[in-house]
C-alpha cells in the first residue's frame, strides 16, 4: 500500500499572486507549498514538482523536470514574487495545459497527477 506523497507522482502547485491575495496570505501560501514539498519523497524516479504563478499574467516557475530535491524547490518557491495584478486563473490553466502538463514540461505518463 502506498502513502500519499511517498509514491511516484507529478505535483503541480498554482500560486495566486494577484492583488486579491493579501501579502500576509501570499507568504502563508508559499509556506504551505514548502511544507507539502518537505513531506514529499522527491527525486528523479520519485515525485516531481511543478509550479505556476499567476496574476495579470501567468508563468511557469518550475517545470516537472528541472529540480529533484526539496531544498532547491523550496528556494524556488521563495523567489516567487507577489505581483498584485488581476486574478487571471484562466491564464494559469492555459500555462498548465500548454507548458507544464506536457512531455516538454516533464510530465510523466506513468506517474500519478496531483494538482
Amino acid at each position: 500500500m502506498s502513502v500519499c506523497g511517498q509514491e511516484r507522482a507529478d505535483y503541480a502547485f498554482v500560486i495566486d499572486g494577484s492583488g486579491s491575495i493579501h501579502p500576509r496570505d501570499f507568504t502563508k501560501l508559499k509556506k504551505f507549498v514548502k511544507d507539502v514539498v518537505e513531506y514529499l519523497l522527491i527525486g528523479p524516479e520519485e515525485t516531481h514538482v511543478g509550479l505556476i504563478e499567476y496574476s495579470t499574467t501567468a508563468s511557469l516557475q518550475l517545470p516537472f523536470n528541472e529540480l529533484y530535491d526539496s531544498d532547491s524547490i523550496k528556494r524556488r518557491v521563495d523567489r516567487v514574487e507577489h505581483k498584485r495584478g488581476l486574478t487571471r486563473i484562466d491564464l494559469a490553466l492555459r500555462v498548465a495545459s500548454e507548458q507544464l502538463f506536457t512531455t516538454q514540461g516533464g510530465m510523466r505518463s506513468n506517474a500519478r497527477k496531483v494538482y
Side-chain angles (χ1 to χ4, degrees):
M1 182 168 137
S2 62
V3 176
C4 183
Q6 305 300 311
E7 61 188 41
R8 182 183 184 97
D10 293 335
Y11 273 69
F13 292 95
V14 180
I15 295 179
D16 183 351
S18 73
S20 64
I21 302 298
H22 189 279
R24 179 180 55 243
D25 293 330
F26 187 75
T27 300
K28 287 179 185 178
L29 177 58
K30 292 194 323 183
K31 181 184 180 321
F32 170 78
V33 172
K34 293 187 297 183
D35 287 348
V36 172
V37 165
E38 184 66 31
Y39 173 76
L40 300 173
L41 181 61
I42 296 173
E45 299 302 319
E46 304 298 333
T47 295
H48 294 183
V49 173
L51 178 64
I52 296 169
E53 176 278 328
Y54 71 95
S55 59
T56 301
T57 62
S59 62
L60 179 60
Q61 299 285 318
L62 177 63
F64 290 126
N65 56 359
E66 188 172 315
L67 299 175
Y68 301 115
D69 67 277
S70 61
D71 289 337
S72 295
I73 294 168
K74 290 187 289 186
R75 283 191 297 273
R76 180 70 57 92
V77 171
D78 282 336
R79 292 196 326 242
V80 175
E81 295 180 31
H82 188 196
K83 295 180 181 167
R84 298 179 181 92
L86 301 175
T87 306
R88 293 292 309 272
I89 193 168
D90 60 310
L91 298 177
L93 296 173
R94 180 177 298 149
V95 168
S97 174
E98 296 176 358
Q99 296 178 37
L100 183 59
F101 285 102
T102 65
T103 54
Q104 294 84 6
M107 182 186 76
R108 300 170 293 169
S109 61
N110 61 348
R112 188 169 60 95
K113 310 298 177 256
V114 181
Y115 45 93

